[in-house]
Amino acid sequence: MQQAVHSLYPRAEVKYEFINRGETRFPDDFHIHLQDQVEKMADLELQSDELDYLRQTCYFLTPVYLDFLTHYRYSPENVVIEQSAGDLNLTVSGPWYTTILWEVPLLAIISELYFSLLGQKTLSRPEARLLNIQKCEQLRNGGVAFAEFGTRRRFSAENQALVIKDLLSVEKNTLIGTSNVHWAKQFGIKSIGTHAHEWFMFHAAEHGYKRANKAAIDAWSSVFQGHLGIALTDTFTTDLFLRNFDAIEARLFDGVRQDSGDPFIFVDKLVDHYRKLRINPLTKTIVFSDELDAGKAISIKKYCQGKINASFGIGTDLSNDLGPEPLNMVIKLSQGRSSEATQWFPMIKLSDAEGKHTGEAAEIALCLRIINGALS
């Protein structure tokens, strides 16, 4: 996404907000510890062996973008952290092409720091290893190939690495990759993922809610020319997405990602949509990524059998299942504009589950009225 933003929207400015869905109460002075970690981010830079790895494995990254990435540095001044009693407030603002890389590491730092400061009792290493192996064996026996998607809400970086190591000890063809490029490099597995909701959120602010999905998909295609062909459907509900997902786009894209709502209803909608477009659904893939565990993934896999291909991204259930309750939190776009000469627009995200709506209530209500009108 950073490459796409760097290419198409170099003047765009955005604001992100931390959303504490689980209403977690953070320890006193948590913001001080977090600020210290954010300051250290300024020292990070791409290493030569990492650049070589990206050149060799990420064929879709252009020389221009890779050159930019070698000079990229995190700017801690973009991040504002405040705390009132146990409530943590965090915003990120600045050029979109630079601030876009803050979300994942910030969430990972918040999660690891929280559990480190609380010092809660966790599973022992032998207990955790046994649990990881049991999950992988269950997924393997259920015919589920999956990617590890757990960086944002991991218990710790160390635990995430151990989880991947445990999973690979069972069956290398069951764990097909990870969304964490560092661990992909370290363990010799595929780096894998999809674009996120913010890509569609920005295009809604630019083009309106009715045209957002179409504009976002067309822009993505213009950058990657058919590569990275999994489309996220639920930023403004899957029903509206499918209204604009025409035969050209449905053939160009390898499939879609399901990230909210009922996965079985989603399968039926997509299979029906492809068939109406005279596309064989068995040539397409749904990537499931919504709060998955082994049992849920296996049930979905069985339901898809003979209908459409299924792939899975499993996150928190793998990277943070040591006993303590994982944090339920996200960082989402809240405002944006195409340049400093244009006005700011509120940015929202709907989904196929009402509890995942984010943004200003009035703007969400407006969006729902527009969508309902478009679908009626």
Side-chain angles (χ1 to χ4, degrees):
M1 284 195 299
Q2 187 184 47
Q3 175 173 290
V5 173
H6 182 264
S7 173
L8 298 179
Y9 308 112
R11 298 182 186 277
E13 298 181 347
V14 295
K15 296 179 181 179
Y16 296 85
E17 289 186 6
F18 172 73
I19 301 172
N20 185 1
R21 286 176 173 167
E23 300 182 350
T24 300
R25 304 294 292 176
F26 288 87
D28 292 342
D29 298 330
F30 182 86
H31 63 298
I32 296 174
H33 297 282
L34 179 57
Q35 185 67 54
D36 179 61
Q37 295 298 312
V38 167
E39 296 295 333
K40 291 177 180 178
M41 294 284 288
D43 297 329
L44 294 177
E45 59 181 305
L46 192 70
Q47 303 299 300
S48 59
D49 64 311
E50 294 169 338
L51 177 60
D52 290 341
Y53 173 79
L54 293 176
R55 283 174 173 159
Q56 294 164 11
T57 62
C58 298
Y59 59 88
F60 45 83
L61 299 180
T62 65
V64 171
Y65 173 67
L66 289 174
D67 181 65
F68 160 76
L69 202 59
T70 61
H71 298 91
Y72 177 83
R73 299 294 183 273
Y74 283 95
S75 300
E77 61 267 23
N78 293 141
V79 183
V80 176
I81 304 167
E82 298 174 337
Q83 185 172 348
S84 176
D87 294 327
L88 179 67
N89 298 300
L90 182 150
T91 60
V92 181
S93 58
W96 193 17
Y97 76 94
T98 62
T99 55
I100 195 170
L101 288 194
W102 273 110
E103 176 200 354
V104 174
L106 272 176
L107 289 171
I109 290 170
I110 291 170
S111 184
E112 181 162 356
L113 185 60
Y114 175 81
F115 292 112
S116 175
L117 291 175
L118 259 62
Q120 296 167 289
K121 179 177 175 57
T122 64
L123 297 178
S124 66
R125 172 59 189 146
E127 291 172 327
R129 174 174 167 75
L130 178 60
L131 180 61
N132 295 334
I133 290 174
Q134 288 174 340
K135 289 178 181 179
C136 194
E137 288 177 340
Q138 184 182 357
L139 288 160
R140 178 195 61 191
N141 294 338
V144 173
F146 66 96
E148 187 277 323
F149 274 17
T151 299
R152 293 184 302 168
R153 302 183 189 99
R154 66 190 182 190
F155 184 85
S156 67
E158 178 186 20
N159 182 63
Q160 187 181 22
L162 290 171
V163 167
I164 294 173
K165 182 178 179 181
D166 292 343
L167 297 174
L168 289 174
S169 72
V170 177
E171 171 60 67
K172 294 186 183 299
N173 293 327
T174 298
L175 178 66
I176 60 174
T178 173
S179 61
N180 187 304
V181 185
H182 173 71
W183 295 132
K185 177 178 180 294
Q186 295 296 105
F187 288 101
I189 57 179
K190 186 177 181 180
S191 58
I192 187 169
T194 74
H195 51 219
H197 294 103
E198 67 177 283
W199 184 252
F200 295 84
M201 295 167 73
F202 179 84
H203 286 85
E206 288 286 289
H207 300 279
Y209 296 115
K210 288 184 180 180
R211 298 184 60 233
N213 290 315
K214 176 72 173 174
I217 289 295
D218 287 348
W220 190 259
S221 301
S222 74
V223 175
F224 295 108
Q225 300 293 302
H227 298 300
L228 306 183
I230 297 295
L232 182 59
T233 67
D234 70 335
T235 309
F236 303 107
T237 75
T238 294
D239 289 338
L240 183 63
F241 178 90
L242 293 179
R243 179 66 64 91
N244 299 311
F245 197 49
D246 61 26
I248 294 175
E249 293 166 341
R251 285 178 169 81
L252 177 64
F253 278 76
D254 300 322
V256 299
R257 175 158 72 100
Q258 190 268 342
D259 196 52
S260 64
D262 187 313
F264 306 102
I265 293 175
F266 186 91
V267 170
D268 293 341
K269 285 182 179 180
L270 264 294
V271 168
D272 181 61
H273 187 71
Y274 282 126
R275 286 175 176 166
K276 285 180 178 178
L277 296 177
R278 301 184 182 277
I279 297 171
N280 181 358
L282 289 172
T283 66
K284 300 297 178 179
T285 298
I286 298 175
V287 177
F288 296 90
S289 62
D290 182 25
E291 300 178 358
L292 295 178
D293 57 25
K296 185 176 179 180
I298 291 170
S299 296
I300 295 170
K301 173 71 174 181
K302 289 179 179 178
Y303 193 77
C304 290
Q305 198 71 34
K307 300 175 182 176
I308 195 167
N309 297 312
S311 185
F312 300 86
I314 304 179
T316 309
D317 186 67
L318 294 176
S319 67
N320 198 344
D321 191 19
L322 294 177
E325 185 73 19
L327 301 184
N328 185 359
M329 57 180 180
V330 294
I331 292 176
K332 294 293 183 185
L333 284 181
S334 60
Q335 294 184 62
R337 58 182 181 179
S338 55
S339 72
E340 63 178 8
T342 58
Q343 69 181 87
W344 288 95
F345 287 94
M347 293 193 179
I348 64 165
K349 179 189 79 72
L350 303 185
S351 74
D352 295 330
E354 188 173 347
K356 285 192 169 184
H357 296 352
T358 64
E360 296 178 1
E363 191 66 22
I364 290 173
L366 171 62
C367 180
L368 286 170
R369 288 198 299 272
I370 291 173
I371 289 174
N372 290 336
L375 294 173
S376 62

